[in-house]
Amino acid sequence: MKVVALFLFGLALAAANPSWEEFKGKFGRKYVDLEEERYRLNVFLDNLQYIEEFNKKYESGEVTYNLAINQFSDLTNDEFNSMMKGYKTSLRPKPVAVFTSTDAAPETTEVDWRTKGCVTHVKDQGQCGSCWAFSATGSLEGQHFLKYGELVSLAEQQLVDCAGGIYYNQGCNGGWVNQAFKYIKANGGIDTESSYPYEARDNTCRFNSNSVAATCSGFVSIAQGSESPEVRRTTNTGPISVAIDAAHRSFQSYSSGVYYEPSCSSSQLDHAVLAVGYGSEGGQDFWLVKNSWGTSWGSAGYINMARNRNNNCGIATDASYPTV
């Protein structure tokens, strides 16, 4: 009888909620039992309603971005935040230098470091709070390319497994970008991703000095709170590691457009990402930001975050890049 009930329930879901069936098929969702699926369906339908109502505001010009169903659409916002973050803000190690803007520093209207060949493919941290590791490798990948002309994908898993201890990082439970830079410097380098593949879980350290692909001599912090120094450094230096407040439901379902969230905090930061450029769209200035949630999220893994709007979401609060 239970098998028949499950079969009939499945047919009913398919008939009444084609978007649910499409979602499960696209993202390979399989739930442990009927009760779990019913719960996830209700969460999905709540998110779908939120997305549809939000997009009406986009269509009427009330907001500058829209939302869409993605791999997180069967998660509540609390579940999403507990799984997909990992940036910690309570520790600020001393940098090699602090960059502040100067009037002589040039600034252009648009920069996209992807076109220069120094940004690797969009990666996926999975259900592991390792965003700090992906932001750190992304910034170092760019600096390594700009110095040596070689774009190499670096090993986030090495940072997850090895950059704890005296560096205080906690693997899938979170960490700090600048502490990752300190570890790479002291360790004598970081391996390639191909030699030390990502696993989305904590494991034992297996660093191989024969597979080192990049080194780091320190890092530079960018003056806190002001987007002007960050613009100038992004213009001249390459991709920049940044931290943001990504805790909002709107961020969870972001699809395209310029993301501006009035309720964002400029100090309560929970997610590390990579600023790879900036520009303007429809009169709205934005930062071009590479995320680490795969290409199914956002605009093929990227988001345009509001720029010159009072440091929205704290994008200029804790920015840095490594020196090589």
Side-chain angles (χ1 to χ4, degrees):
M1 291 296 294
K2 185 177 181 180
V3 173
V4 174
L6 286 171
F7 177 73
L8 293 176
F9 177 67
L11 290 178
L13 285 180
N17 302 284
S19 57
W20 172 243
E21 295 303 310
E22 181 182 356
F23 166 79
K24 289 195 301 178
K26 181 176 181 179
F27 297 108
R29 290 295 196 271
K30 293 182 180 179
Y31 302 103
V32 295
D33 54 29
L34 182 60
E35 183 178 355
E36 172 70 5
E37 177 153 4
R38 282 175 174 162
Y39 174 75
R40 291 300 160 194
L41 171 61
N42 286 330
V43 172
F44 174 85
L45 292 176
D46 184 60
N47 282 328
L48 179 61
Q49 181 180 5
Y50 169 75
I51 290 167
E52 290 175 344
E53 291 177 354
F54 188 96
N55 286 346
K56 290 177 182 177
K57 297 179 183 179
Y58 175 74
E59 292 167 3
S60 65
E62 297 178 56
V63 294
T64 55
Y65 63 99
N66 63 1
L67 309 179
I69 293 296
N70 59 30
Q71 68 267 44
F72 306 125
S73 295
D74 62 345
L75 300 176
T76 67
N77 190 240
D78 286 342
E79 290 171 332
F80 165 77
N81 283 322
S82 69
M83 294 178 184
M84 300 308 302
K85 305 303 176 57
Y87 182 75
K88 297 181 179 293
T89 58
S90 59
L91 181 67
R92 293 186 60 82
K94 185 177 179 181
V96 170
V98 175
F99 174 82
T100 56
S101 66
T102 63
D103 293 336
E107 180 177 328
T108 61
T109 57
E110 181 177 318
V111 169
D112 185 346
W113 283 101
R114 297 175 302 180
T115 66
K116 310 294 185 181
C118 64
V119 181
T120 58
H121 62 283
V122 172
K123 304 178 184 181
D124 190 349
Q125 69 186 71
Q127 294 185 4
C128 167
S130 55
C131 61
W132 58 277
F134 285 83
S135 179
T137 57
S139 193
L140 183 54
E141 286 164 352
Q143 292 305 305
H144 180 84
F145 172 83
L146 290 170
K147 184 169 183 177
Y148 298 106
E150 180 185 25
L151 182 63
V152 182
S153 185
L154 301 177
E156 293 82 16
Q157 190 65 42
Q158 179 184 337
L159 298 179
V160 170
D161 295 343
C162 309
I166 63 172
Y167 303 101
Y168 305 108
N169 297 307
Q170 298 169 24
C172 284
N173 289 319
W176 296 265
V177 170
N178 292 345
Q179 291 297 94
F181 294 149
K182 290 179 69 175
Y183 159 77
I184 295 169
K185 176 184 177 181
N187 187 62
I190 183 172
D191 287 348
T192 63
E193 183 181 25
S194 60
S195 66
Y196 203 144
Y198 186 65
E199 299 173 339
R201 64 186 180 95
D202 295 312
N203 207 334
T204 56
C205 182
R206 290 153 288 153
F207 167 69
N208 183 350
S209 60
N210 294 322
S211 299
V212 166
T215 58
C216 170
S217 60
F219 65 92
V220 175
S221 284
I222 300 172
Q224 293 183 45
S226 172
E227 296 181 64
S228 181
E230 195 168 334
V231 165
R232 287 175 168 81
R233 257 328 189 201
T234 306
T235 297
N236 298 307
T237 303
I240 303 293
S241 290
V242 296
I244 58 173
D245 172 11
H248 304 275
R249 200 174 182 185
S250 56
F251 198 92
Q252 177 178 343
S253 299
Y254 169 83
S255 179
S256 64
V258 178
Y259 182 81
Y260 174 75
E261 174 55 70
S263 60
C264 251
S265 171
S266 61
S267 59
Q268 299 300 312
L269 313 180
D270 60 6
H271 189 48
V273 289
L274 188 70
V276 301
Y278 59 84
S280 297
E281 176 183 294
Q284 301 288 324
D285 293 342
F286 66 83
W287 290 102
L288 176 61
V289 173
K290 179 188 180 186
N291 203 350
S292 53
W293 294 342
T295 57
S296 295
W297 179 87
S299 181
Y302 284 85
I303 180 172
N304 292 343
M305 299 194 68
R307 179 168 61 93
N308 296 328
R309 297 197 68 174
N310 297 318
N311 188 24
N312 189 240
C313 296
I315 196 164
T317 298
D318 198 358
S320 63
Y321 64 93
T323 53
V324 298

